[in-house]
Amino acid sequence: EYEGDRDAEGKRHGFGKARLPNGDTYEGEYEHGLRSGHGTYRFKNGALYTGNYLQNKKHGKGVFFYPDGSKYAGDWVHDQRQGYGEYLYANGDTYTGEWANNKRHGQGTYVYKNTGSKYVGCWVNGIQDGPAELIHLNHRFKGRFLNGKPLGRGKFIFDIGCEQHGEYIQPVQEKEEEEEDEPPLSVEPIWKVSEITKLTPWSPDDEELLVPREAAVTEEGEDHPASDAGEEGEEKREEEVNQDQEDEGEK
């Protein structure tokens, strides 16, 4: 069902309104039978996209309202979130930064609504990966992340005017023969303190010795910053849920 302009060949061309067989509707610009230009597409499941199209695909600037209440506003390339954009999640978290292939990729800032904490740094395929800063209410961590977890050299910076330097070490997981068929449990990196200093200008990009060193962890010298480990774990779980919602939002 279509109402609007057509070209000499009878194809939809110019401005028009259409109701698709599946119940979705589109109102906007066409070019020789295809959605091209600015338009608004309403899905029967409650989702809505308003923005630019190119040959029936979301392309350019656009805003997508998802059925769960989340929203993405930013760049699109061939129906995928790509470029720069902001995603507001159903739980109130936000991500603002770069995207590629529908995932957080590049530089970006993720803000956790429940705690007010935020991750500012690099992302790879939707996962925290690379130099970054994790900012909490009274302190922040500056270092590197690998597969969503801090690993290697870094430092905690406290508002009282001091820093705790050290590194996150990945514990060596002992394997037991009878559990060979079971998937390995995820072992959290452990923070090992090297020194406490006054405020310094160190950042993870300043040194070459940034490759995380694998080492067995002993009981000596281990330290767990009191207000860090729990927050990171809970926030990471929320993030993973949000990533799943992104991937399923348009289905």
Side-chain angles (χ1 to χ4, degrees), residues 42-48 65-67:
R42 299 175 186 274
F43 298 80
K44 65 177 180 180
N45 67 357
L48 181 147
F65 297 88
Y66 296 89

Side-chain angles (χ1 to χ4, degrees), residues 162-203:
C162 68
E163 297 178 347
Q164 186 184 85
H165 296 254
E167 65 180 317
Y168 273 102
I169 297 174
Q170 183 67 56
V172 176
Q173 189 175 7
E174 296 182 3
K175 297 180 180 179
E176 297 182 12
E177 293 183 4
E178 55 269 21
E179 297 181 357
E180 284 183 357
D181 295 335
E182 297 182 7
L185 297 175
S186 176
V187 181
E188 293 293 323
I190 294 175
W191 175 249
K192 188 173 183 179
V193 179
S194 60
E195 62 177 338
I196 295 176
T197 69
K198 295 180 180 179
L199 297 180
T200 66
W202 181 90
S203 79

